[in-house]
């Protein structure tokens, strides 16, 4: 069977333009020899040709820059580069949301191209765009020559930063062209558009990302409401700077004795951690790691302390109007001795000194392929001192961080998968037991079922709800934070759909014997409705229907059985302004389950809630190729539209809801 050109590129049978081994001749030859030349493959082939010239030009510019060493030490340059990334985040955090603003659609145009960027894009640019430059410094590949060098260090840094950021952007969008719903549009030989297609999956993915943000914000609000009644949170530690004599030193305090702002930030982190425990069961996070004296929970605790320390530093950054020396850039890069940080973490956690040492060592970025600056935010500036990257610690995505550590520590994926399956069953059954409306059911179980002929199927989840049987396949999927991982996640879901359709067919054909094996009472006169589904560990892959099979996560699944209320807008955890009513009685529980799984109201956004926005990649000269990116972003929320559109479930509203909406400062 012949293979498409896209498949050949994905399987790395031909080097991509981002690879050192790439040549135009090899690329053209692979295209000529390929027999499957569909439109998508032709688009990718042309994109590779066009972008390869730009990438080659950028590599030549770096070589030219490196021919003249920077007039500063390696320590000065590392500190300045990290400071540059931190300053970008500092400027962004100073922007305040207007009254009534939608926090999930905030944007800023405070950049040299005046591009309107989301805060996620700004964060990614600050860290990913500078990682290549920082990596070269850590590996001692950047020429630094002290005072006698012929290149101005600030000019050197700005030039390399511009090249590295553009190179990183093109690399990232090349991956999107290879793996995601992106296409290349050529307006001319010097003007092209990298275009994100508006597909059902791309919209569902964006909606899923926003749902995650809102869920964590809502959970943080709940914790804030309960904060002063939660001693376990108030007793957590924080590391702060305190002036002792003539210098500032790190000291440890309890969070309850710190400023209110730090308490709120701590609650926001704890909310992420609690949400994380729905993706990774506690036993998995707290289990001993082979060959290590710490757990994933220990790493999270160290990350929490560094997160708060980063915000302490963020508040102390200077308000320079202009950055024109590496000395000024370094003011945004806090440095601390390795020994002092180790002592502070030992004091804050109560860990043995060696454990704190090993945790810190793991969190140090060493420029290897297994470590990146988002998950390993400590950077050594010399043998005894380090800086912490505020840009990556400012707003960490813990799910991504944990799954990266998961790979760096070589934890078998099977361990996460088994824990996830147990967690889904436990959450589903607990919800069923707590619901007084649902009486006629059999608990969710995982079971291998056999037919009279001796064939068998392993079913991850099967439960009975009246005359309806849910048959589910569970997929523990690693983080979807890159085009490649998104593609792999979709691929796993697609495989799961084929499997569960086969298993549902098996169950239906052997229904009486399956009931007996499960210990369920079978009614031969009943017309049982078999509903197949996929339960994903990754929430950004929820809310889509693949080949008539709904894909949900454990939170969506268990919520239906827990109670019939799904809030759309809330003032507090139990104070809703508008909410969906899933069912009113046991008959509706059974009748509405298919609709709920296919269109969960937790994901109310539609195509009309998104808009297409373009931004131009920064050129490095008049003759450089003009590259525009056209992507999909969520519109600022229109509450009137949201409250008055048609939904699959009844939307109930609080009396005088408009009066409440006028008082809201920001929208979640």
């Amino acid at each position: 069977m012949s293979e498409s050109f896209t498949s050949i590129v994905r399987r790395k049978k031909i080097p991509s333009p981002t690879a050192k081994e790439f040549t135009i001749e090899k690329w053209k030859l692979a295209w000529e020899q390929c027999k499957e030349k569909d439109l998508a493959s032709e688009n990718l082939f042309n994109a590779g040709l066009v972008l390869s010239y730009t990438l080659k030009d950028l590599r030549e510019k770096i070589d030219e820059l490196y021919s003249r060493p920077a007039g500063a030490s390696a320590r000065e340059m590392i500190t300045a580069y990290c400071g540059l990334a931190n300053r970008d985040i500092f400027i962004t955090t100073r922007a305040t949301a207007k009254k009534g603003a939608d926090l999930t659609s905030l944007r800023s145009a405070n950049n040299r191209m005046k591009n309107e960027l989301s805060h996620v894009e700004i964060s990614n640019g600050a860290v990913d765009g500078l990682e290549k430059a920082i990596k070269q410094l850590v590996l001692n590949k950047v020429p630094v020559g002290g005072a006698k060098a012929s290149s101005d260090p600030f000019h050197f840094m700005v030039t390399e930063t511009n090249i590295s950021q553009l190179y990183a952007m093109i690399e990232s969008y090349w991956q999107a062209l290879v793996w995601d719903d992106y296409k290349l549009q050529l307006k001319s030989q010097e003007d092209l558009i990298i275009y994100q297609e508006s597909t059902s999956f791309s919209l569902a993915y964006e909606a899923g990302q926003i749902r995650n943000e809102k869920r964590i914000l809502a959970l943080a609000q709940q914790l804030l409401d309960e904060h002063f009644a939660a001693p376990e949170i108030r007793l957590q530690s924080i590391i702060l700077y305190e002036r002792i004599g003539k210098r500032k030193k790190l000291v440890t305090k309890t969070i309850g004795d710190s400023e209110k702002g730090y308490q709120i930030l701590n609650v926001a982190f704890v909310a992420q951690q609690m949400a994380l425990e729905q993706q990774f069961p506690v036993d998995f996070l707290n289990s001993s790691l082979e060959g290590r004296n710490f757990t994933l929970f220990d790493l999270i605790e160290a990350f929490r302390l560094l997160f708060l320390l980063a915000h302490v530093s963020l508040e102390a950054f200077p308000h320079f109007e202009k950055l024109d020396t590496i000395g000024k850039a370094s003011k945004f890069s806090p440095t601390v001795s390795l020994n002092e940080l180790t002592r502070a973490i030992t004091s804050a956690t109560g860990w043995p000194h060696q454990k704190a040492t090993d945790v810190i060592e793991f969190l140090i970025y060493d420029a290897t392929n297994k470590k990146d600056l988002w998950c390993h935010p400590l950077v050594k500036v010399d043998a005894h001192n380090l800086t912490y990257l505020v840009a990556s610690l400012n707003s960490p995505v813990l799910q991504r961080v944990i799954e990266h550590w998961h790979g760096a520590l070589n934890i078998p994926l099977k361990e996460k998968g088994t824990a996830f399956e147990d967690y889904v069953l436990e959450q589903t059954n607990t919800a069923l037991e707590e619901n007084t409306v649902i009486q006629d059911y059999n608990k969710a179980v995982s079971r291998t079922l056999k037919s009279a002929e001796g064939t068998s199927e392993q079913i991850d989840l099967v439960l009975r709800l009246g005359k309806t049987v849910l048959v589910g396949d569970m997929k523990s999927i690693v983080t979807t934070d890159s085009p490649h991982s998104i593609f792999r996640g979709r691929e796993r879901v697609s495989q799961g759909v084929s499997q569960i359709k086969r298993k549902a067919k098996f169950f239906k054909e052997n229904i009486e014997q399956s009931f007996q094996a499960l210990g369920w009472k079978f009614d031969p006169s009943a017309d049982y409705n078999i509903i197949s589904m996929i339960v994903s560990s990754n929430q950004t892959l929820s809310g889509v229907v693949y080949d008539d099979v709904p894909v949900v996560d454990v939170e969506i699944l268990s919520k239906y059985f827990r109670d019939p209320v799904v809030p759309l807008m809330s003032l507090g955890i139990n104070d809703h302004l508008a909410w969906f009513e899933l069912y009113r009685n046991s008959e509706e529980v059974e009748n509405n389950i298919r609709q709920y799984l296919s269109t969960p109201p937790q994901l109310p956004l539609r195509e009309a809630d998104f808009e297409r926005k373009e931004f131009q990649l920064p050129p490095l000269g008049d003759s450089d190729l003009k590259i525009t990116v056209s992507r999909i972003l969520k519109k600022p929320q229109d509450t009137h539209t949201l409250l008055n559109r048609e939904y699959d479930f009844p939307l109930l509203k609080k009396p005088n809801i408009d009066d409440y909406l006028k008082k809201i400062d920001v929208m979640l």
Side-chain angles (χ1 to χ4, degrees):
M1 185 176 178
S2 57
E3 190 174 11
S4 72
F5 186 78
T6 300
S7 177
I8 290 171
V9 175
R10 286 173 176 169
R11 286 159 58 84
K12 297 184 178 179
K13 291 185 176 181
I14 172 72
S16 287
T18 54
K20 291 181 180 179
E21 303 80 13
F22 174 88
T23 66
I24 294 290
E25 294 73 25
K26 290 179 182 178
W27 191 252
K28 289 182 176 179
L29 181 61
W31 174 251
E32 290 170 4
Q33 293 177 344
C34 179
K35 296 179 181 179
E36 285 289 326
K37 297 180 179 179
D38 55 19
L39 288 175
S41 291
E42 184 176 2
N43 189 278
L44 187 64
F45 168 71
N46 289 327
L49 282 179
V50 174
L51 295 179
S52 68
Y53 293 116
T54 300
L55 292 171
K56 180 174 180 290
D57 186 40
L58 293 174
R59 286 192 288 266
E60 289 174 351
K61 281 182 166 63
I62 282 288
D63 290 341
E64 181 184 351
L65 179 70
Y66 279 17
S67 67
R68 302 176 65 202
S73 68
R75 170 174 177 154
E76 288 172 323
M77 294 302 286
I78 289 177
T79 307
Y81 275 95
C82 291
L84 203 60
N86 294 340
R87 182 174 182 267
D88 286 346
I89 296 302
F90 173 63
I91 292 171
T92 303
T93 57
R94 287 167 63 186
T96 56
K98 296 179 181 178
K99 186 176 178 63
D102 177 6
L103 291 183
T104 62
S105 61
L106 293 178
R107 302 171 196 168
S108 172
N110 192 357
N111 54 79
R112 68 188 178 102
M113 295 298 294
K114 301 304 177 185
N115 289 320
E116 192 174 297
L117 303 175
S118 70
H119 282 207
V120 172
E121 289 172 324
I122 294 169
S123 296
N124 289 345
V127 179
D128 296 340
L130 282 167
E131 181 158 0
K132 284 186 177 299
I134 294 171
K135 180 176 184 177
Q136 294 295 89
L137 282 162
V138 171
L139 294 174
N140 295 316
K141 291 186 177 181
V142 177
V144 289
K148 295 182 180 180
S150 56
S151 181
D152 174 69
F154 183 76
H155 176 266
F156 184 100
M157 178 180 70
V158 171
T159 303
E160 182 176 18
T161 296
N162 290 338
I163 296 171
S164 295
Q165 286 184 327
L166 182 54
Y167 199 98
M169 286 182 191
I170 294 175
E171 270 191 326
S172 174
Y173 283 111
W174 170 252
Q175 292 301 315
L177 288 164
V178 172
W179 297 102
D180 210 345
D181 296 321
Y182 280 75
K183 294 291 179 285
L184 183 78
Q185 295 180 348
L186 275 172
K187 294 174 70 176
S188 70
Q189 288 302 313
E190 283 106 24
D191 194 351
L192 63 87
I193 297 177
I194 297 173
Y195 185 91
Q196 181 186 14
E197 295 185 303
S198 179
T199 65
S200 59
F201 177 81
S202 63
L203 293 174
Y205 176 80
E206 296 297 334
Q209 295 280 67
I210 292 162
R211 174 189 165 219
N212 280 347
E213 291 178 35
K214 294 175 73 171
R215 185 171 57 92
I216 292 168
L217 287 168
L219 185 54
Q221 182 61 52
Q222 176 191 349
L223 289 173
L224 283 172
D225 291 343
E226 302 172 351
H227 176 51
F228 292 102
E232 67 276 10
I233 296 178
R234 283 181 55 77
L235 290 174
Q236 287 182 308
S237 296
I238 181 174
I239 296 173
L240 300 160
Y241 284 104
E242 193 171 276
R243 186 168 292 282
I244 300 175
K246 293 184 178 181
R247 64 181 295 266
K248 288 183 178 180
K249 293 186 178 181
L250 292 178
V251 297
T252 302
K253 292 184 178 181
T254 57
I255 197 72
D257 295 329
S258 66
E259 295 177 15
K260 186 177 180 181
Y262 297 140
Q263 295 184 40
I264 292 172
L265 286 166
N266 188 61
V267 163
F269 189 95
V270 172
Q272 259 209 84
Q273 184 174 338
M274 291 176 66
L276 189 72
E277 291 168 14
Q278 296 176 3
Q279 310 295 314
F280 303 86
V282 173
D283 289 345
F284 173 78
L285 295 172
N286 209 26
S287 59
S288 300
L289 301 173
E290 187 175 350
R292 304 280 183 170
N293 61 355
F294 53 80
T295 67
L296 290 173
F297 258 144
D298 293 330
L299 291 176
I300 293 172
E301 174 60 10
F303 220 74
R304 184 188 66 82
L305 292 168
L306 292 171
F307 160 78
L308 292 171
L309 183 59
H311 278 276
V312 170
S313 299
L314 197 65
E315 291 188 4
F317 283 165
H319 291 253
F320 293 138
E321 291 300 322
K322 185 179 179 182
L323 207 62
D324 51 14
T325 67
I326 62 168
K328 284 186 177 180
S330 298
K331 297 292 184 182
F332 295 90
S333 185
T335 57
V336 62
S337 78
L338 192 56
N339 287 337
E340 186 176 2
L341 183 63
T342 304
R343 286 194 299 270
I345 288 183
T346 299
S347 172
T349 59
W351 296 340
H353 183 272
Q354 187 59 51
K355 180 175 178 176
T357 300
D358 292 345
V359 166
I360 290 172
E361 182 63 32
F362 178 76
L363 293 176
I364 290 175
Y365 175 71
D366 61 7
T368 59
N369 291 334
K370 281 197 171 185
K371 291 191 176 184
D372 69 24
L373 289 170
W374 286 106
C375 309
H376 304 268
L378 303 178
V379 182
K380 277 191 173 182
V381 297
D382 57 37
H384 306 292
N385 299 280
L386 50 79
T387 183
Y388 42 92
L389 201 65
V390 175
S392 54
L393 286 165
N394 174 65
S395 54
V397 180
L398 283 186
Q399 181 178 344
R400 179 194 186 280
V401 170
I402 279 288
E403 293 202 329
H404 179 93
W405 291 341
H406 184 276
L409 290 165
N410 299 315
I411 302 172
L413 281 173
K414 185 179 178 182
E415 290 186 22
K416 181 197 169 189
T418 303
F420 171 67
E421 291 170 9
D422 293 341
Y423 180 70
V424 172
L425 294 175
E426 185 269 328
Q427 288 293 303
T428 302
N429 290 327
T430 299
L432 282 164
E433 291 168 0
E434 293 175 352
N435 194 321
T436 57
V437 177
I438 303 174
Q439 297 295 324
D440 183 16
Y441 72 93
N442 286 108
K443 284 185 177 182
V445 294
S446 176
R447 194 68 53 85
T448 298
L449 300 175
K450 294 183 178 180
S451 68
E453 292 76 23
T455 58
S456 64
E457 288 284 4
Q458 165 65 36
I459 300 179
D460 294 339
L461 181 151
V462 56
L463 73 86
R464 183 187 63 82
L465 197 66
K467 298 298 186 288
T468 297
V469 178
L470 298 183
V471 181
D473 199 59
M474 300 190 211
K475 291 299 176 188
S476 180
I477 297 172
V478 294
T479 186
T480 49
D481 65 337
S482 69
H484 189 189
S485 63
I486 292 169
F487 179 86
R488 293 301 183 204
R490 290 170 67 173
E491 197 172 49
R492 290 210 67 208
V493 168
S494 180
Q495 292 168 355
V497 167
S498 299
Q499 293 168 352
I500 199 57
K501 292 184 85 168
R502 185 191 71 236
K503 294 176 182 182
K505 183 174 181 288
F506 175 90
F507 188 92
K508 191 169 186 177
E509 291 174 348
N510 301 278
I511 189 166
E512 185 172 357
Q513 189 162 341
S514 295
F515 266 57
Q516 291 174 355
L518 291 163
W520 298 353
K521 184 178 179 181
F522 181 72
D523 182 356
S525 65
D527 182 17
Y528 287 98
N529 178 29
I530 313 298
I531 298 177
S532 54
M533 63 179 178
I534 301 294
V535 185
S536 168
S537 66
N538 195 299
Q539 293 193 336
T540 55
L541 292 174
S542 294
V544 291
V545 177
Y546 281 80
D547 197 14
D548 294 328
V549 176
V551 181
V552 297
D553 54 65
V554 63
E555 186 175 300
I556 287 176
L557 179 64
S558 61
K559 175 61 181 175
Y560 189 80
F561 302 124
R562 184 164 287 112
D563 64 71
V565 174
V566 173
L568 179 66
M569 294 181 186
S570 303
L571 295 174
I573 189 64
N574 292 312
D575 187 6
H576 308 311
L577 294 177
W579 63 95
F580 297 103
E581 185 178 58
L582 304 180
Y583 49 80
R584 292 168 296 182
N585 51 53
S586 59
E587 183 180 356
E588 289 186 352
V589 170
E590 190 174 347
N591 292 341
N592 295 349
I593 180 68
R594 171 75 199 201
Q595 184 66 61
Y596 172 81
L597 295 173
S598 300
T599 57
Q602 290 92 333
L603 292 158
L605 298 180
R606 300 177 181 176
E607 187 171 4
D609 297 310
F610 295 87
E611 61 183 340
R612 183 165 297 283
K613 284 287 185 178
E614 294 185 351
F615 74 88
Q616 188 180 337
L617 297 189
L620 291 178
D622 294 336
S623 62
D624 290 326
L625 182 70
K626 178 184 176 183
I627 303 175
T628 302
V629 177
S630 176
R631 79 287 195 218
I632 300 165
L633 293 178
K634 177 177 172 282
K635 293 178 183 176
Q637 198 71 71
D638 179 354
T639 56
H640 178 78
T641 300
L642 203 59
L643 289 169
N644 291 283
R645 65 170 42 149
E646 292 292 324
Y647 292 101
D648 293 311
F649 291 91
L651 181 64
L652 306 182
K653 304 167 191 175
K654 195 167 189 164
N656 303 319
I657 185 174
D658 291 336
D659 294 336
Y660 288 97
L661 291 175
K662 291 175 184 176
K663 301 175 184 178
I664 292 176
D665 291 326
V666 292
M667 286 290 299
L668 300 184

